[in-house]
Amino acid sequence: MTNVIKVKKGLDINLKGKASDVMLNARPSATYALVPDSYNGIMPKVVAKVGDKVKAGSTLMIDKNRPEIKFASPVSGEVTAVNRGAKRKVLSVVVKPDAQMVYEEFGKKTVSSMKADEVKAFILDAGLWPLIKQRPYDIVANPASQPRDIFVSAFYSAPLAPNFDFILKGQEADFQTGLDALAKLTAGKVYVGVRRGSIAAKVNGVEIVEVEGPHPAANVGVQINRVKPINKGEVVWTVNPDDVIVIGRLFNKGIVDLTRLVVLTGSETTERGYIKTIAGCTIESLVAGKLLEGNEHLRIISGNVLTGTKVGKEDYLRAYDNQITVIPEGDDNDEFFGWAVPGFNKYSTSHSYLTWLIGRNKEYVLDARIKGGRRAMIMSNEYDKVFPMDIMPEYLIKAILAFDIDKMENLGIYEVAPEDFALCEFVDTSKLELQKIVRDGLNQLYKEMN
């Protein structure tokens, strides 16, 4: 019998700029890049050199502390740059693609005939291990650890998020193979969260969890908390559904094919839909000719508006992202007595504006302004209204700020990731950067405990 989770706390933010289930054309990307900042918990060491010829799947970088973790080149071509920042921090490894893609051959594999160590070694050798993350700490999974369970959330609920059923069509076999491979890596279960009626629910050999309710229902942290919470000393692995397809493709085709569908959304776009591209492509290749003309005050986000990263056209699509969102920056918008007007077109989670009388079915155009200065944490129980996990978010944030390890552990730090606090950050009248606070706390705790 299918498990059913009903999420009551949360918030669906109805933004203008939803994408239709259609395919769009895009310009070829002039370069592709591996961006180490996409991955948490690693110390990058570049092994490729400028001028090297590489194939799709060749190793560009490894984790210095765990050299068995490799990072694969998304395309074949020539390494044209290794960009570094302060203290020689690796910012990106750039590859100029060949006219014709050439793949590193790893050989097709039948998952059912492989042992767990063989599956693990195969994924590691191909450079796809960074697609697997772990909790606690929300970092690239440690291959030496034994996960209690593995969780995959096979739908998205964030604002303007892609329709995973549309992405999955035609790739069901690779998705099933990817889940079969993950099932070999744990003595526990592979849990797959789905919406009712989703084609992702037709997979075999896993535990299906049907999830109802508003965002953040699709957050894997919410599903872990509701199905089987993490206790101290336990490790759980998580994988994005798009990356499950990539892993399955490795076994079925014997190559590293990082092709994915990226959805272009947002109120400031002229075309909205799905673009077939390769992870690490330039943002320019995705948005060229699809933005409102004459408006230079735009914010392009790799990801969704709650958890995504601000990027420029010259930047690259982040490793785990399958969404580009374009909204107004808002820096050219000056309001006179903005706080004192009725605000018929302004979105509010409280009753601050009269829009609460209209309802939240109205589509809103929200810009990137904070609308207020940062201040002390003065409001109580704000986070609880949109935080569906069995954790006290306000007290956990205070424990992280004080770096009180005992309190952090008792309040559930091992279960959370920054994305779980995105809605709390959105409704926070104190304007605190909650996701950054949680990320910094997890990083500090990881260093302290390891």
Side-chain angles (χ1 to χ4, degrees):
M1 184 176 179
T2 303
N3 293 330
V4 179
I5 297 174
K6 295 183 179 180
V7 177
K8 295 182 179 180
K9 293 181 179 180
L11 180 65
D12 286 328
I13 305 170
N14 197 15
L15 298 183
K16 183 179 179 181
K18 294 181 178 66
S20 302
D21 290 345
V22 296
M23 297 297 298
L24 304 178
N25 295 320
R27 295 180 184 176
S29 182
T31 57
Y32 292 81
L34 188 63
V35 181
D37 277 352
S38 298
Y39 309 95
N40 292 310
I42 67 152
M43 185 174 291
K45 179 181 178 181
V46 180
V47 295
K49 298 178 181 179
V50 174
D52 283 357
K53 295 289 185 179
V54 296
K55 298 179 181 179
S58 297
T59 302
L60 295 181
M61 185 176 77
I62 62 173
D63 180 6
K64 189 174 182 180
N65 295 329
R66 296 167 295 181
E68 68 273 19
I69 298 180
K70 303 174 182 178
F71 295 79
S73 174
V75 294
S76 63
E78 180 182 348
V79 178
T80 57
V82 177
N83 297 313
R84 296 181 182 271
K87 299 182 180 180
R88 293 188 54 78
K89 176 185 176 181
V90 182
L91 301 178
S92 62
V93 182
V94 182
V95 179
K96 183 178 180 181
D98 291 330
Q100 187 70 33
M101 188 77 76
V102 181
Y103 293 96
E104 198 82 56
E105 290 289 341
F106 295 95
K108 298 179 182 179
K109 301 289 183 180
T110 303
V111 175
S112 59
S113 63
M114 300 175 72
K115 297 179 180 178
D117 288 344
E118 294 173 333
V119 171
K120 183 182 293 186
F122 189 55
I123 297 173
L124 282 166
D125 188 48
L128 294 185
W129 190 264
L131 300 181
I132 304 174
K133 295 192 285 185
Q134 77 168 49
R135 297 200 186 189
Y137 310 121
D138 188 42
I139 59 174
V140 173
N142 183 357
S145 65
Q146 295 297 321
R148 186 202 67 195
D149 300 293
I150 299 177
F151 282 78
V152 176
S153 181
F155 70 100
Y156 298 99
S157 62
L160 306 178
N163 175 8
F164 182 66
D165 275 7
F166 183 78
I167 293 172
L168 185 57
K169 286 180 181 178
Q171 303 188 92
E172 293 90 343
D174 290 334
F175 187 61
Q176 180 66 66
T177 301
L179 292 174
D180 293 341
L182 293 176
K184 290 279 187 174
L185 300 179
T186 177
K189 296 180 179 180
V190 175
Y191 293 92
V192 179
V194 300
R195 290 292 200 192
R196 180 179 295 176
S198 170
I199 60 175
K202 298 178 181 179
V203 293
N204 302 311
V206 299
E207 191 83 9
I208 297 295
V209 180
E210 192 174 287
V211 188
E212 302 174 0
H215 185 68
N219 280 15
V220 70
V222 174
Q223 296 171 25
I224 294 171
N225 182 261
R226 292 296 186 89
V227 175
K228 199 173 180 181
I230 303 172
N231 297 314
K232 184 178 180 180
E234 294 180 335
V235 173
V236 165
W237 289 353
T238 67
V239 187
N240 291 337
D242 301 68
D243 296 331
V244 174
I245 294 173
V246 172
I247 292 172
R249 203 179 286 152
L250 169 66
F251 286 85
N252 290 338
K253 296 183 178 179
I255 59 174
V256 172
D257 182 358
L258 296 179
T259 302
R260 65 174 56 196
L261 292 187
V262 175
V263 66
L264 180 62
T265 66
S267 60
E268 307 309 292
T269 55
T270 55
E271 293 183 67
R272 297 153 194 162
Y274 293 79
I275 299 169
K276 189 174 183 180
T277 187
I278 298 173
C281 66
T282 59
I283 302 298
E284 169 71 25
S285 68
L286 298 173
V287 302
K290 299 178 178 65
L291 303 181
L292 290 177
E293 295 183 2
N295 187 0
E296 300 299 323
H297 302 272
L298 302 178
R299 174 167 294 198
I300 304 174
I301 302 167
S302 180
N304 63 69
V305 292
L306 293 176
T307 64
T309 304
K310 179 182 176 180
V311 293
K313 293 181 181 179
E314 70 284 355
D315 292 321
Y316 298 90
L317 180 71
R318 290 302 184 103
Y320 301 109
D321 292 340
N322 62 356
Q323 178 179 355
I324 295 293
T325 311
V326 188
I327 61 174
E329 187 66 57
D331 55 354
D332 61 334
N333 192 344
D334 296 318
E335 296 182 13
F336 184 68
F337 285 129
W339 55 270
V341 297
F344 289 111
N345 293 314
K346 293 183 177 180
Y347 182 87
S348 175
T349 57
S350 65
H351 291 181
S352 300
Y353 299 114
L354 293 178
T355 45
W356 70 272
L357 291 171
I358 303 172
R360 289 180 182 149
N361 292 327
K362 173 184 170 68
E363 289 187 341
Y364 292 88
V365 176
L366 300 185
D367 57 42
R369 287 176 294 167
I370 295 177
K371 296 185 178 179
R374 294 181 178 86
R375 64 205 77 164
M377 194 182 295
I378 56 174
M379 296 292 288
S380 295
N381 302 321
E382 255 189 336
Y383 308 156
D384 296 299
K385 297 175 183 178
V386 296
F387 192 82
M389 299 171 70
D390 188 20
I391 289 172
M392 293 184 286
E394 185 178 326
Y395 290 98
L396 178 55
I397 290 294
K398 290 179 179 179
I400 293 172
L401 290 171
F403 198 60
D404 187 326
I405 294 178
D406 289 338
K407 283 188 177 180
M408 289 161 66
E409 290 179 343
N410 292 333
L411 291 167
I413 185 69
Y414 293 124
E415 291 190 56
V416 302
E419 67 175 11
D420 297 321
F421 286 80
L423 271 180
C424 297
E425 186 174 297
F426 178 73
V427 303
D428 184 18
T429 53
S430 296
K431 315 299 179 183
L432 298 178
E433 295 181 277
L434 300 182
Q435 293 182 82
K436 183 178 185 299
I437 291 170
V438 174
R439 180 72 267 163
D440 291 345
L442 290 170
N443 290 344
Q444 281 184 286
L445 189 61
Y446 179 65
K447 291 178 181 178
E448 187 75 21
M449 305 302 284
N450 293 272

Tab-separated table of all heavy atoms in Angstrom, residues 299-331:
chain	number	residue	atom	x	y	z
A	299	ARG	N	16.931	40.314	-13.144
A	299	ARG	CA	17.714	39.352	-12.366
A	299	ARG	C	17.512	37.968	-12.977
A	299	ARG	O	16.388	37.455	-13.037
A	299	ARG	CB	17.317	39.333	-10.895
A	299	ARG	CG	18.031	38.216	-10.119
A	299	ARG	CD	17.900	38.347	-8.634
A	299	ARG	NE	18.596	39.532	-8.130
A	299	ARG	CZ	18.929	39.694	-6.841
A	299	ARG	NH1	18.636	38.759	-5.946
A	299	ARG	NH2	19.554	40.797	-6.455
A	300	ILE	N	18.604	37.373	-13.413
A	300	ILE	CA	18.577	36.012	-13.945
A	300	ILE	C	19.015	35.076	-12.830
A	300	ILE	O	20.045	35.288	-12.192
A	300	ILE	CB	19.501	35.869	-15.169
A	300	ILE	CG1	19.121	36.895	-16.249
A	300	ILE	CG2	19.420	34.454	-15.735
A	300	ILE	CD1	20.070	36.910	-17.430
A	301	ILE	N	18.241	34.042	-12.602
A	301	ILE	CA	18.495	33.113	-11.506
A	301	ILE	C	18.674	31.707	-12.058
A	301	ILE	O	17.828	31.211	-12.811
A	301	ILE	CB	17.325	33.125	-10.501
A	301	ILE	CG1	17.107	34.535	-9.951
A	301	ILE	CG2	17.564	32.143	-9.362
A	301	ILE	CD1	15.806	34.709	-9.199
A	302	SER	N	19.773	31.069	-11.706
A	302	SER	CA	19.961	29.649	-12.010
A	302	SER	C	19.281	28.871	-10.893
A	302	SER	O	19.793	28.757	-9.785
A	302	SER	CB	21.451	29.293	-12.074
A	302	SER	OG	21.634	27.915	-12.377
A	303	GLY	N	18.084	28.363	-11.182
A	303	GLY	CA	17.266	27.713	-10.169
A	303	GLY	C	15.965	28.468	-9.993
A	303	GLY	O	15.547	29.246	-10.865
A	304	ASN	N	15.304	28.276	-8.864
A	304	ASN	CA	14.043	28.978	-8.607
A	304	ASN	C	14.280	30.224	-7.757
A	304	ASN	O	15.382	30.445	-7.245
A	304	ASN	CB	13.023	28.034	-7.951
A	304	ASN	CG	13.476	27.546	-6.582
A	304	ASN	OD1	13.546	28.301	-5.621
A	304	ASN	ND2	13.783	26.256	-6.477
A	305	VAL	N	13.232	31.017	-7.576
A	305	VAL	CA	13.394	32.307	-6.904
A	305	VAL	C	13.706	32.170	-5.416
A	305	VAL	O	14.216	33.103	-4.798
A	305	VAL	CB	12.121	33.173	-7.061
A	305	VAL	CG1	11.938	33.601	-8.492
A	305	VAL	CG2	10.885	32.437	-6.554
A	306	LEU	N	13.428	31.009	-4.825
A	306	LEU	CA	13.653	30.829	-3.397
A	306	LEU	C	15.058	30.328	-3.076
A	306	LEU	O	15.658	30.744	-2.085
A	306	LEU	CB	12.622	29.854	-2.821
A	306	LEU	CG	11.168	30.338	-2.816
A	306	LEU	CD1	10.255	29.232	-2.317
A	306	LEU	CD2	11.001	31.581	-1.953
A	307	THR	N	15.581	29.436	-3.882
A	307	THR	CA	16.867	28.805	-3.560
A	307	THR	C	17.928	28.979	-4.639
A	307	THR	O	19.060	28.538	-4.450
A	307	THR	CB	16.675	27.294	-3.330
A	307	THR	OG1	16.219	26.680	-4.549
A	307	THR	CG2	15.651	27.027	-2.233
A	308	GLY	N	17.578	29.613	-5.752
A	308	GLY	CA	18.506	29.716	-6.867
A	308	GLY	C	19.644	30.694	-6.631
A	308	GLY	O	19.695	31.406	-5.623
A	309	THR	N	20.555	30.745	-7.600
A	309	THR	CA	21.743	31.595	-7.534
A	309	THR	C	21.661	32.692	-8.587
A	309	THR	O	21.379	32.408	-9.757
A	309	THR	CB	23.017	30.761	-7.777
A	309	THR	OG1	23.066	29.691	-6.837
A	309	THR	CG2	24.267	31.622	-7.638
A	310	LYS	N	21.909	33.932	-8.181
A	310	LYS	CA	21.937	35.037	-9.138
A	310	LYS	C	23.115	34.853	-10.087
A	310	LYS	O	24.250	34.630	-9.657
A	310	LYS	CB	22.072	36.372	-8.403
A	310	LYS	CG	22.141	37.583	-9.323
A	310	LYS	CD	22.335	38.863	-8.526
A	310	LYS	CE	22.495	40.061	-9.455
A	310	LYS	NZ	22.698	41.328	-8.706
A	311	VAL	N	22.847	34.927	-11.397
A	311	VAL	CA	23.895	34.732	-12.400
A	311	VAL	C	23.788	35.811	-13.469
A	311	VAL	O	22.762	36.483	-13.602
A	311	VAL	CB	23.783	33.334	-13.065
A	311	VAL	CG1	24.079	32.223	-12.073
A	311	VAL	CG2	22.398	33.135	-13.696
A	312	GLY	N	24.863	35.959	-14.230
A	312	GLY	CA	24.873	36.827	-15.397
A	312	GLY	C	24.858	35.984	-16.656
A	312	GLY	O	25.012	34.758	-16.608
A	313	LYS	N	24.694	36.614	-17.786
A	313	LYS	CA	24.654	35.871	-19.048
A	313	LYS	C	25.965	35.139	-19.314
A	313	LYS	O	25.998	34.128	-20.007
A	313	LYS	CB	24.339	36.818	-20.205
A	313	LYS	CG	22.941	37.403	-20.166
A	313	LYS	CD	22.694	38.309	-21.365
A	313	LYS	CE	21.292	38.915	-21.321
A	313	LYS	NZ	21.058	39.811	-22.477
A	314	GLU	N	27.054	35.669	-18.756
A	314	GLU	CA	28.371	35.060	-18.988
A	314	GLU	C	28.636	33.888	-18.049
A	314	GLU	O	29.638	33.173	-18.204
A	314	GLU	CB	29.471	36.103	-18.823
A	314	GLU	CG	29.704	36.591	-17.387
A	314	GLU	CD	28.657	37.564	-16.867
A	314	GLU	OE1	27.759	37.952	-17.661
A	314	GLU	OE2	28.731	37.936	-15.679
A	315	ASP	N	27.765	33.676	-17.088
A	315	ASP	CA	27.935	32.581	-16.132
A	315	ASP	C	27.404	31.273	-16.701
A	315	ASP	O	26.944	31.214	-17.849
A	315	ASP	CB	27.232	32.915	-14.809
A	315	ASP	CG	27.901	34.055	-14.065
A	315	ASP	OD1	29.144	34.104	-14.082
A	315	ASP	OD2	27.190	34.900	-13.492
A	316	TYR	N	27.444	30.234	-15.856
A	316	TYR	CA	27.090	28.886	-16.315
A	316	TYR	C	25.970	28.285	-15.476
A	316	TYR	O	25.808	28.607	-14.297
A	316	TYR	CB	28.329	27.981	-16.247
A	316	TYR	CG	29.451	28.439	-17.147
A	316	TYR	CD1	30.427	29.324	-16.681
A	316	TYR	CD2	29.524	28.015	-18.471
A	316	TYR	CE1	31.452	29.765	-17.511
A	316	TYR	CE2	30.549	28.448	-19.310
A	316	TYR	CZ	31.509	29.321	-18.826
A	316	TYR	OH	32.504	29.760	-19.653
A	317	LEU	N	25.196	27.418	-16.099
A	317	LEU	CA	24.126	26.708	-15.416
A	317	LEU	C	24.715	25.848	-14.311
A	317	LEU	O	25.640	25.067	-14.544
A	317	LEU	CB	23.368	25.818	-16.413
A	317	LEU	CG	22.209	24.994	-15.855
A	317	LEU	CD1	21.030	25.905	-15.498
A	317	LEU	CD2	21.773	23.933	-16.864
A	318	ARG	N	24.183	25.987	-13.089
A	318	ARG	CA	24.706	25.247	-11.946
A	318	ARG	C	24.423	23.755	-12.076
A	318	ARG	O	23.458	23.326	-12.710
A	318	ARG	CB	24.111	25.791	-10.650
A	318	ARG	CG	24.619	27.193	-10.279
A	318	ARG	CD	26.133	27.208	-10.136
A	318	ARG	NE	26.677	28.471	-9.709
A	318	ARG	CZ	27.085	28.724	-8.465
A	318	ARG	NH1	26.976	27.814	-7.522
A	318	ARG	NH2	27.613	29.889	-8.169
A	319	ALA	N	25.250	22.951	-11.430
A	319	ALA	CA	25.267	21.507	-11.636
A	319	ALA	C	23.932	20.826	-11.363
A	319	ALA	O	23.528	19.908	-12.084
A	319	ALA	CB	26.359	20.876	-10.768
A	320	TYR	N	23.231	21.227	-10.301
A	320	TYR	CA	21.999	20.558	-9.918
A	320	TYR	C	20.741	21.243	-10.455
A	320	TYR	O	19.633	20.784	-10.191
A	320	TYR	CB	21.889	20.475	-8.384
A	320	TYR	CG	23.019	19.730	-7.717
A	320	TYR	CD1	23.974	20.415	-6.965
A	320	TYR	CD2	23.147	18.345	-7.823
A	320	TYR	CE1	25.011	19.742	-6.332
A	320	TYR	CE2	24.182	17.666	-7.201
A	320	TYR	CZ	25.110	18.370	-6.459
A	320	TYR	OH	26.140	17.695	-5.839
A	321	ASP	N	20.906	22.340	-11.199
A	321	ASP	CA	19.756	23.148	-11.605
A	321	ASP	C	19.163	22.686	-12.933
A	321	ASP	O	19.892	22.303	-13.856
A	321	ASP	CB	20.146	24.628	-11.715
A	321	ASP	CG	20.480	25.246	-10.365
A	321	ASP	OD1	20.063	24.673	-9.351
A	321	ASP	OD2	21.165	26.288	-10.340
A	322	ASN	N	17.826	22.773	-13.017
A	322	ASN	CA	17.134	22.498	-14.272
A	322	ASN	C	16.096	23.592	-14.551
A	322	ASN	O	15.098	23.355	-15.218
A	322	ASN	CB	16.460	21.124	-14.234
A	322	ASN	CG	15.407	21.018	-13.152
A	322	ASN	OD1	15.213	21.941	-12.359
A	322	ASN	ND2	14.725	19.895	-13.102
A	323	GLN	N	16.366	24.788	-14.033
A	323	GLN	CA	15.435	25.897	-14.175
A	323	GLN	C	16.191	27.214	-14.254
A	323	GLN	O	17.153	27.431	-13.521
A	323	GLN	CB	14.470	25.926	-12.972
A	323	GLN	CG	13.481	27.072	-12.981
A	323	GLN	CD	12.544	27.037	-11.782
A	323	GLN	OE1	12.564	26.109	-10.970
A	323	GLN	NE2	11.691	28.042	-11.653
A	324	ILE	N	15.750	28.082	-15.162
A	324	ILE	CA	16.222	29.457	-15.238
A	324	ILE	C	15.011	30.361	-15.030
A	324	ILE	O	13.993	30.208	-15.701
A	324	ILE	CB	16.880	29.775	-16.596
A	324	ILE	CG1	18.163	28.949	-16.782
A	324	ILE	CG2	17.199	31.265	-16.699
A	324	ILE	CD1	19.281	29.299	-15.834
A	325	THR	N	15.124	31.283	-14.073
A	325	THR	CA	14.030	32.192	-13.762
A	325	THR	C	14.512	33.628	-13.956
A	325	THR	O	15.609	33.975	-13.516
A	325	THR	CB	13.566	32.009	-12.302
A	325	THR	OG1	13.364	30.617	-12.028
A	325	THR	CG2	12.276	32.759	-12.053
A	326	VAL	N	13.694	34.434	-14.621
A	326	VAL	CA	14.055	35.830	-14.866
A	326	VAL	C	12.952	36.719	-14.294
A	326	VAL	O	11.787	36.625	-14.696
A	326	VAL	CB	14.234	36.119	-16.369
A	326	VAL	CG1	14.805	37.528	-16.565
A	326	VAL	CG2	15.151	35.089	-17.013
A	327	ILE	N	13.317	37.579	-13.337
A	327	ILE	CA	12.371	38.481	-12.679
A	327	ILE	C	12.937	39.892	-12.705
A	327	ILE	O	14.124	40.089	-12.985
A	327	ILE	CB	12.104	38.047	-11.219
A	327	ILE	CG1	13.399	38.086	-10.390
A	327	ILE	CG2	11.461	36.668	-11.175
A	327	ILE	CD1	13.194	37.814	-8.899
A	328	PRO	N	12.124	40.913	-12.403
A	328	PRO	CA	12.665	42.279	-12.328
A	328	PRO	C	13.638	42.405	-11.159
A	328	PRO	O	13.426	41.821	-10.098
A	328	PRO	CB	11.426	43.147	-12.093
A	328	PRO	CG	10.250	42.290	-12.450
A	328	PRO	CD	10.667	40.883	-12.183
A	329	GLU	N	14.692	43.171	-11.356
A	329	GLU	CA	15.628	43.436	-10.269
A	329	GLU	C	14.983	44.350	-9.235
A	329	GLU	O	15.149	44.150	-8.025
A	329	GLU	CB	16.908	44.071	-10.810
A	329	GLU	CG	18.008	44.243	-9.790
A	329	GLU	CD	18.566	42.942	-9.263
A	329	GLU	OE1	19.039	42.124	-10.066
A	329	GLU	OE2	18.502	42.751	-8.037
A	330	GLY	N	14.248	45.352	-9.719
A	330	GLY	CA	13.556	46.262	-8.809
A	330	GLY	C	14.363	47.466	-8.389
A	330	GLY	O	13.862	48.323	-7.653
A	331	ASP	N	15.605	47.565	-8.846
A	331	ASP	CA	16.454	48.679	-8.420
A	331	ASP	C	16.103	49.987	-9.131
A	331	ASP	O	16.645	51.043	-8.802
A	331	ASP	CB	17.937	48.351	-8.631
A	331	ASP	CG	18.257	47.946	-10.057
A	331	ASP	OD1	17.316	47.806	-10.869
A	331	ASP	OD2	19.447	47.761	-10.362
